[in-house]
Amino acid sequence: MSQLIPRAVLAMLAVLPILVISHQKKGNEPTLMIVLRVRNKEAYLPYTLSQLSLLDYPKERLSLWVASDHNQDRSAEILLTWLERYGPLYSSVKAAVNTSSPPLRPDERSAVHMSPGRLRAVADMKQEALQTARQLSIDLIWFLDADVVLHDSTVLRQLLNTQKPLVAPMLRSVGKHSNFCEDVTDDFFCVESERFSEIYSRQQRGCFAVPLIRSCVLVDLRDPRTAGLTFSSDRCGTRPERETLDDAVTLALSARDAALQMTVCNQEDFGQVSAPLTPTQEPKDERRNMANMKLKALLDWGPLPVVPLMRLFLPKLPTKSRLGFDRIYVIGLQRRPERWRRHNACFDELGIEAVHVHAVDGRKLTDDMLEKYNISSPRNNERRVRLNKGEIGCFLSHYGVWQDVVDSGLERVLVLENDAHPTAEFPERLQQLVAEADRLRPQWDFIYLFRELPRNDEPVEGAEQLIKPGFCYSAMAYVLSRKGAETLLRDRPLKNMLCVDDYIPLMAGNAPHSRWIGRFPSAGTLRIFASRDHLIHPAKVRGEPGYNSDTTEVDGVVGARSCAAEGNMDSDCYRPNL
Ligand SMILES: *[C@@H]1O[C@H](CO)[C@@H](O)[C@H](O)[C@H]1NC(C)=O
Ligand SMILES: *[C@@H]1O[C@H](CO)[C@@H](O)[C@H](O)[C@H]1NC(C)=O
């Protein structure tokens, strides 16, 4: 068929789709220049550039201004590869990608050192882009950092809809770092405030006037007041007493002088910005930052999109290991496939090899089954306490793992529920903790990696992370030895079933006043430890959107709420059967 079409027509067809878009669609949308400065951002670029490719905005209304130099990684190569393929779609492209500049500027001590020369170079480049956009009468200019990962392809349209002259989407990052300041000192350093937390956590949603925004800043050049904006600190009237000003501070000062309000918007959860590297870190640490952003994205948005061309530049996934354990169990309900998908993706990212354990589903437990396996909760004064079927399912799931440890002759295992969400640091910190336990308390049976309501912790001498916990809750994440599993099975707990969160402290001797202690002769013999800090966190905490608990929200069964959900700290928190 195609050989029948003359060459000239083919050429026209190749051009046509673009012409059609520009005419029929959105020809009157504002023109916009995207300014992207890149240095040593190999870890982020495949994602950042993919999001530009996928941005919901007509490319022919966009100009690109890309600058990159002094790289120690493949940043320049990635940029040039992307520009070659996608550049022609844009209205215009200015790319200053210097592949021959040395790894450091003359006044830089390291690649993360914000030397005066570096700050000046960045400010000069942004100033030049700003002037060019003004000269070309481009409507808006968007300063975008290469380590900003936007999850929402409509972000630009949403920012335009705010009709603010100087606006940024609120971006989150590890450690509550963000791209705005809610309050600043006289020297323009950020100050933490309550309102910052409210905006950051999105308890308050909308657009907020703030003194400083950075990393992803959209300027509406059609607003005449923006004529006073500058990145160049010599032109800035009211300079605070700081040796060097970064470009964001200069811009904020010039905005203030021009009586122009900066705005940050959080009506959507737009995306993330990487946490800045500390002076002792190196560019390669960006990889871990990016891994954390990917893990966070998996939790809140799903996998980050990467266009095929950029996949060539993604790092290889780590080889999988069991981190020194004989088996890593992940417990979860079969009927929650999204959690398994997320967990698998996280473990692929971290290189962890685990086995899935399908939890006993409380919804499917019948009274006949309970009877058949002789499952019952303890009686007290002839009143039977109540466990809901979700809690029974939860106990049985952990019980099954303990039995498997003993039956398979495993020496040490890691047990996680599949709503535990790791960070990139998890494997390393876990291995350090277990090494510390092996060194200082080699007889350990059980180590909590996450706890709720901890109290009466005692230190372990010479330990950095290991502690001896008092009473606490949670079986979401723990390390277990074979001896520990044997202890947990010894007193046939199915006959006197407690919520697993209560049973573990009881066996460790941390619930001395429990009225059930007499039923468990081995109570107090489980040698229990914990990490001082949480090594892993629940994906969602109670009350957060998207939170659900399969132990507390079991439909249509006994109806008692979980003891943990009631915040009751004693192990006899079960409600008597009325
Ligand atoms: C690249 O950087 C080097 C060193 O900083 C400089 O001498 C050279 O002129 C630059 N090349 C271009 C094309 O700008
Ligand atoms: C349940 O208990 C009864 C009576 O004590 C016993 O005969 C039966 O074998 C037990 N069932 C199981 C599955 O342990």
Side-chain angles (χ1 to χ4, degrees):
M1 174 83 179
S2 67
Q3 65 251 61
L4 296 178
I5 304 176
R7 258 172 177 278
V9 177
L10 270 184
M12 256 183 66
L13 283 175
V15 178
L16 210 56
I18 298 168
L19 294 177
V20 169
I21 294 169
S22 60
H23 280 292
Q24 149 215 57
K25 215 169 129 188
K26 309 151 189 173
N28 52 356
E29 308 215 355
T31 54
L32 197 138
M33 179 189 276
I34 298 175
V35 180
L36 186 68
R37 219 202 81 82
V38 176
R39 179 160 178 213
N40 295 328
K41 292 289 182 275
E42 173 178 347
Y44 307 98
L45 278 178
Y47 303 96
T48 327
L49 297 175
S50 293
Q51 83 202 1
L52 283 188
S53 298
L54 300 170
L55 188 71
D56 171 23
Y57 205 79
K59 302 272 185 291
E60 66 278 8
R61 306 295 288 172
L62 297 174
S63 302
L64 288 177
W65 180 293
V66 179
S68 186
D69 52 16
H70 303 285
N71 290 300
Q72 301 180 10
D73 65 7
R74 293 193 296 172
S75 290
E77 187 189 340
I78 301 175
L79 277 173
L80 293 172
T81 307
W82 183 82
L83 282 168
E84 189 185 350
R85 160 75 179 76
Y86 289 97
L89 303 177
Y90 289 82
S91 145
S92 72
V93 178
K94 179 182 164 182
V97 180
N98 190 335
T99 50
S100 60
S101 49
L104 295 181
R105 286 196 175 79
D107 72 339
E108 284 175 347
R109 285 193 299 272
S110 75
V112 298
H113 178 213
M114 289 296 162
S115 69
R118 176 183 195 149
L119 291 172
R120 207 175 316 115
V122 173
D124 287 350
M125 174 263 162
K126 291 192 175 178
Q127 185 64 24
E128 194 191 336
L130 182 60
Q131 273 161 358
T132 306
R134 283 178 181 142
Q135 277 156 15
L136 296 177
S137 303
I138 290 178
D139 296 328
L140 296 109
I141 186 165
W142 188 18
F143 296 95
L144 182 65
D145 285 357
D147 56 357
V148 166
V149 174
L150 299 166
H151 300 291
D152 192 332
S153 63
T154 68
V155 61
L156 184 53
R157 290 188 184 281
Q158 300 210 40
L159 292 180
L160 287 170
N161 285 343
T162 64
Q163 303 198 334
K164 304 281 185 195
L166 204 44
V167 62
M170 197 274 290
L171 304 170
R172 294 187 284 157
S173 109
V174 176
K176 251 182 113 175
H177 172 74
S178 189
N179 62 324
F180 74 101
C181 298
E182 197 278 313
D183 193 11
V184 287
T185 61
D186 291 343
D187 296 352
F188 250 78
F189 287 107
C190 269
V191 186
E192 272 257 0
S193 66
E194 200 168 307
R195 188 155 162 268
F196 174 89
S197 303
E198 285 170 8
I199 298 172
Y200 186 83
S201 63
R202 301 181 63 231
Q203 281 165 10
Q204 285 191 42
R205 293 186 192 183
C207 290
F208 305 90
V210 292
L212 187 140
I213 52 179
R214 61 165 76 233
S215 302
C216 184
V217 175
L218 183 65
V219 185
D220 191 340
L221 301 174
R222 295 167 299 183
D223 186 317
R225 290 171 298 169
T226 61
L229 291 179
T230 179
F231 289 99
S232 147
S233 56
D234 350 318
R235 293 196 213 166
C236 197
T238 46
R239 261 193 75 134
E241 291 298 309
R242 272 170 75 169
E243 200 184 325
T244 46
L245 293 181
D246 83 14
D247 58 275
V249 173
T250 312
L251 186 72
L253 287 167
S254 67
R256 195 179 60 180
D257 292 348
L260 200 57
Q261 189 60 64
M262 286 188 150
T263 306
V264 71
C265 294
N266 70 354
Q267 68 271 35
E268 297 294 330
D269 201 356
F270 289 112
Q272 302 179 76
V273 60
S274 77
L277 293 182
T278 63
T280 57
Q281 287 182 301
E282 297 170 44
K284 69 178 167 54
D285 293 311
E286 300 280 20
R287 223 176 252 306
R288 181 168 285 191
N289 267 346
M290 186 62 226
N292 269 322
M293 287 162 83
K294 280 171 82 178
L295 292 169
K296 183 87 183 113
L298 283 169
L299 185 57
D300 292 338
W301 298 273
L304 294 174
V306 180
V307 296
L309 181 66
M310 289 289 104
R311 287 184 203 147
L312 303 171
F313 298 103
L314 293 178
K316 274 223 294 282
L317 289 174
T319 316
K320 288 204 167 186
S321 89
R322 292 192 297 266
L323 310 176
F325 295 99
D326 295 320
R327 194 164 289 165
I328 295 177
Y329 297 92
V330 180
I331 304 174
L333 286 176
Q334 201 169 2
R335 67 177 148 87
R336 295 208 176 275
E338 74 292 349
R339 284 200 189 168
W340 289 115
R341 270 197 297 275
R342 185 183 72 214
H343 219 277
N344 287 340
C346 291
F347 276 22
D348 287 346
E349 186 65 37
L350 296 175
I352 300 178
E353 179 192 324
V355 295
H356 288 180
V357 178
H358 283 154
V360 178
D361 194 338
R363 280 192 195 172
K364 294 186 183 153
L365 276 177
T366 61
D367 292 342
D368 287 351
M369 285 157 80
L370 300 185
E371 209 166 303
K372 184 166 155 227
Y373 292 105
N374 292 337
I375 293 167
S376 60
S377 49
R379 282 170 193 275
N380 186 44
N381 302 331
E382 293 317 304
R383 281 171 144 192
R384 185 171 292 287
V385 294
R386 214 161 193 190
L387 280 179
N388 76 37
K389 287 188 180 173
E391 287 163 339
I392 295 173
C394 177
F395 191 96
L396 288 174
S397 308
H398 286 273
Y399 181 88
V401 166
W402 306 336
Q403 254 184 342
D404 187 67
V405 172
V406 174
D407 292 349
S408 312
L410 307 178
E411 285 306 319
R412 57 177 58 189
V413 299
L414 168 64
V415 185
L416 299 173
E417 293 177 359
N418 75 349
D419 61 341
H421 189 71
T423 61
E425 290 77 16
F426 176 68
E428 188 181 322
R429 294 182 65 198
L430 174 61
Q431 285 170 298
Q432 284 167 356
L433 175 75
V434 174
E436 190 169 75
D438 284 342
R439 187 161 48 85
L440 299 171
R441 293 291 183 273
Q443 303 291 311
W444 61 266
D445 284 333
F446 185 106
I447 309 175
Y448 282 110
L449 307 182
F450 170 84
R451 299 175 299 146
E452 286 185 275
L453 308 172
R455 54 178 191 185
N456 305 331
D457 288 348
E458 285 172 28
V460 168
E461 210 182 310
E464 263 178 44
Q465 257 312 314
L466 197 71
I467 53 141
K468 186 100 193 75
F471 188 83
C472 57
Y473 267 115
S474 183
M476 187 187 77
Y478 57 87
V479 170
L480 182 67
S481 71
R482 184 170 49 80
K483 286 216 162 61
E486 284 165 358
T487 303
L488 289 168
L489 295 170
R490 192 166 295 128
D491 297 335
R492 302 163 139 255
L494 299 195
K495 276 190 308 183
N496 290 296
M497 191 181 287
L498 299 172
C499 180
V500 72
D501 289 356
D502 290 310
Y503 178 65
I504 293 164
L506 183 76
M507 295 309 281
N510 285 336
H513 306 302
S514 166
R515 35 192 171 143
W516 316 123
I517 203 158
R519 314 225 172 204
F520 300 96
S522 313
T525 63
L526 184 73
R527 283 162 296 202
I528 203 160
F529 296 91
S531 62
R532 183 191 311 276
D533 305 318
H534 299 311
L535 291 200
I536 192 163
H537 287 87
K540 299 280 172 189
V541 292
R542 213 165 269 133
E544 225 182 307
Y547 170 81
N548 62 47
S549 158
D550 291 308
T551 54
T552 55
E553 287 168 23
V554 176
D555 310 341
V557 266
V558 269
R561 280 171 51 220
S562 153
C563 34
E566 287 170 26
N568 199 330
M569 305 215 282
D570 292 316
S571 68
D572 52 359
C573 66
Y574 302 105
R575 293 179 182 170
N577 199 351
L578 301 171

